Amino acid sequence: MGKIQEREENLSEVVLDKFREECGVFGIYGHPEAARLTYLGLYALQHRGQESCGIVASDGSDLRLERAMGHVAEAFDGSRLDRLPGASAIGHVRYSTAGEVSIREAQPFLVTCQHGQIAVCHNGNLPFAREERRKLERQGAIFSATSDTEVVLHGVARSQASSVREAIPEVLRKTEGAFSMLFLTANELIAARDPRGFRPLALGRLGDAWVLASETCAFDLIDAKYVRDVEPGEMIVVDEEGLRSSHPLPVEKHSMCLFEHVYFARPDSLIYGHSVNESRHKMGKRLAIEQPADADIVVPVPDSGTAASIGYSAQSGISFRFGLVRNHYVGRTFIEPKQSIRSFGVRIKLNPVRDLIEGRRVVLIDDSIVRGTTSKKIVRMVREAGAEEVHVRISCPPTISPCYYGIDTPNKADLIAARMSVEEIRKFIEADSLGYLSLEGMIEATGISPDSACVACWNEKYPTRITREAETMWEREHEPVT
Ligand code: SF4
């Protein structure tokens, strides 16, 4: 492997050593600038997916679609948005878990069928859709992409129901998995959230227009007001007669993803009606009580460790300092000088402030450790900047199991906490001490009832059955070592 290739790989490690959200959705009904506001909504949701984006708009009779690879700001310009006239629109930003990386996979998907034109975009994962897809393919069905979302569209297209709004619940009742979905037809916007409510979906108001988004930060940018969350199992239809809500999906115990509060969502969002910033602050305070450290400064691993660090500092009385500075403009590839620089891969993204760190005992706060490789490089870098001691504190419990509900996670074998004890991880990342927040502490900090939360990646108690492939992998990984 050549030098440049080697360094490219290191950088992706730096960028990727986190669980990753795959998608963000945004929709609007009843505004003359629907496509432009959707563009802004997606802009605010960009952190939920950077691989591709797309918008479908309806002018009341025709649906038009524009999709592109890359970031929203680069993919859309004024003339592209001018090709999307109409008062209703839905949009999507995507980072894939299921499906390939290509423009064919970019959402929204738009089809024409017996019910007319229908577009859909989806945040979540439908693990059993692959079985249904294989069945449909054997029957001669044609798919344009590998994504599981298309299976739902096929179901709607084939439904004998008299309208799209009747066909959607008919199909979703048979669909297992995590979905916060938006559908657009020529004259209606339909939102549906799975009965367990795995992924968030918020409802807002902008004048007379209704808006829907994965996170409320998308409302703030366009001056829309948060009204409430779409409830788990709820379907909302918005058309010229207004908004109607129904609960056509079977009632299930709620399983709202708590990782949204730990890491995925923006801190300025409300998720499940609770402030993400507040949750992270409380996680930090609780972490200081559960995992105290004898130290001089609290330093966040930017950006997601910041709110928890402020909480840790407030509780412990140890002063909070921005001891690591993040470069926000890191791409996926770079070229290193031929003479190797130590910690180059991680330093291109984070750089220590030597003046703050030198001679000090540092508490380094991060939101999670996935593979552990990046944490090790950061600890080394802080030590090289002169820290006397480095104490790592994590604002959630050890992540020990993959997610099957729309989050990109490595296999169990690659999760360091699935293989090692806390003490072994401490040694691996070369920290002087390591402490995680307890499960109870984390749940309590979010203010969400433990009976309504999914915490499966921390305790392996999956709220649904998982696919046969996943089960086999799970069983193999849990085989007793003889
Ligand atoms: S398994 Fe973890 S990441 Fe996946 S939905 Fe549950 S809490 Fe969220």
Side-chain angles (χ1 to χ4, degrees):
M1 193 188 277
K3 190 152 204 90
I4 291 173
Q5 272 177 316
E6 188 182 299
R7 286 301 164 183
E8 282 177 4
E9 196 175 281
N10 280 350
L11 180 59
S12 51
E13 218 175 73
V14 172
V15 175
L16 300 183
D17 197 23
K18 292 283 175 200
F19 280 16
R20 280 201 297 191
E21 183 63 70
E22 304 130 28
C23 300
V25 296
F26 182 91
I28 183 162
Y29 185 97
H31 196 287
E33 290 203 272
R36 279 187 152 70
L37 292 172
T38 302
Y39 161 84
L40 290 173
L42 295 181
Y43 194 86
L45 297 173
Q46 188 75 78
H47 60 290
R48 297 181 76 89
Q50 298 92 42
E51 245 164 43
S52 63
C53 53
I55 300 174
V56 168
S58 168
D59 62 4
S61 55
D62 287 317
L63 265 61
R64 294 179 183 82
L65 166 68
E66 293 286 333
R67 298 186 297 180
M69 300 304 290
H71 290 195
V72 180
E74 291 144 19
F76 284 91
D77 57 15
S79 60
R80 194 159 204 177
L81 290 167
D82 287 342
R83 295 203 288 269
L84 296 168
S88 58
I90 58 172
H92 190 260
V93 287
R94 175 176 189 268
Y95 168 75
S96 62
T97 49
E100 290 170 2
V101 181
S102 92
I103 189 67
R104 284 186 304 136
E105 308 293 333
Q107 295 188 28
F109 293 123
L110 172 62
V111 294
T112 305
C113 65
Q114 56 170 336
H115 302 293
Q117 282 183 296
I118 312 167
V120 66
C121 55
H122 171 206
N123 176 206
N125 187 32
L126 309 176
F128 296 97
R130 256 146 277 164
E131 291 164 19
E132 177 66 12
R133 182 190 171 105
R134 282 195 279 271
K135 203 168 93 194
L136 287 168
E137 279 171 342
R138 279 197 296 275
Q139 290 166 6
I142 296 166
F143 290 86
S144 67
T146 62
S147 158
D148 44 20
T149 312
E150 263 194 298
V151 174
V152 173
L153 267 189
H154 261 269
V156 173
R158 290 155 64 100
S159 165
Q160 296 308 307
S162 59
S163 64
V164 171
R165 67 178 65 179
E166 281 169 34
I168 287 171
E170 187 187 291
V171 174
L172 292 182
R173 267 194 287 269
K174 293 181 245 157
T175 306
E176 273 184 75
F179 54 86
S180 285
M181 277 183 175
L182 298 179
F183 298 85
L184 191 70
T185 69
N187 43 34
E188 65 199 337
L189 169 63
I190 298 172
R193 190 166 169 215
D194 71 76
R196 295 183 186 274
F198 280 109
R199 308 254 65 85
L201 189 59
L203 174 71
R205 201 89 215 253
L206 175 62
D208 292 333
W210 288 101
V211 283
L212 290 135
S214 297
E215 289 185 35
T216 60
C217 63
F219 297 162
D220 299 338
L221 185 59
I222 60 168
D223 253 344
K225 298 275 168 291
Y226 169 70
V227 175
R228 65 174 175 86
D229 271 22
V230 176
E231 291 162 19
E234 184 181 10
M235 182 171 111
I236 284 178
V237 179
V238 194
D239 61 13
E240 59 180 9
E241 284 166 22
L243 180 145
R244 261 149 300 150
S245 155
S246 61
H247 288 79
L249 305 181
V251 176
E252 300 278 4
K253 192 168 163 291
H254 296 175
S255 311
M256 296 184 268
C257 171
L258 282 207
F259 231 118
E260 293 281 354
H261 274 265
V262 171
Y263 171 63
F264 303 135
R266 265 176 47 166
D268 50 341
S269 284
L270 298 175
I271 293 285
Y272 320 129
H274 296 253
S275 156
V276 173
N277 181 63
E278 188 61 21
S279 292
R280 290 182 189 163
H281 187 82
K282 284 185 180 159
M283 284 171 201
K285 285 180 102 172
R286 179 80 182 235
L287 186 59
I289 295 167
E290 292 183 11
Q291 303 287 350
D294 211 0
D296 305 310
I297 52 171
V298 176
V299 171
V301 175
D303 293 321
S304 49
T306 305
S309 298
I310 295 171
Y312 195 100
S313 165
Q315 182 67 39
S316 64
I318 304 170
S319 100
F320 170 92
R321 304 307 298 262
F322 278 113
L324 288 170
V325 174
R326 179 176 165 192
N327 181 347
H328 287 264
Y329 305 99
V330 180
R332 273 179 196 250
T333 57
F334 62 95
I335 298 165
E336 183 189 359
K338 286 202 176 107
Q339 211 173 0
S340 171
I341 295 172
R342 271 191 301 173
S343 310
F344 187 79
V346 75
R347 215 182 293 170
I348 203 145
K349 194 166 169 72
L350 295 174
N351 198 33
V353 183
R354 183 171 276 275
D355 277 1
L356 289 177
I357 286 174
E358 200 161 25
R360 299 229 160 83
R361 295 167 302 162
V362 175
V363 190
L364 206 55
I365 311 267
D366 205 350
D367 53 76
S368 54
I369 299 179
V370 180
R371 294 176 183 83
T373 43
T374 303
S375 306
K376 180 185 202 142
K377 287 175 188 161
I378 295 171
V379 170
R380 268 190 196 168
M381 194 173 66
V382 171
R383 231 186 263 286
E384 282 165 13
E388 261 182 21
E389 292 170 16
V390 185
H391 302 276
V392 176
R393 297 292 180 268
I394 305 296
S395 60
C396 73
T399 39
I400 55 168
S401 215
C403 174
Y404 302 106
Y405 308 118
I407 297 301
D408 181 40
T409 51
N411 288 335
K412 188 176 171 71
D414 292 326
L415 294 170
I416 192 168
R419 293 182 283 113
M420 293 187 191
S421 67
V422 173
E423 175 55 16
E424 285 167 335
I425 300 172
R426 181 199 69 74
K427 279 192 192 139
F428 178 82
I429 64 171
E430 299 171 2
D432 292 289
S433 73
L434 170 65
Y436 287 87
L437 183 60
S438 67
L439 190 63
E440 302 69 43
M442 178 192 69
I443 297 172
E444 213 176 286
T446 64
I448 292 160
S449 157
D451 293 335
S452 302
C454 176
V455 289
C457 49
W458 295 291
N459 70 0
E460 288 193 290
K461 291 186 182 151
Y462 292 102
T464 64
R465 66 185 181 120
I466 49 180
T467 58
R468 191 60 218 146
E469 286 112 299
E471 252 170 40
T472 312
M473 199 186 295
W474 195 90
E475 279 158 12
R476 204 179 302 135
E477 283 165 347
H478 286 76
E479 267 171 16
V481 180
T482 50

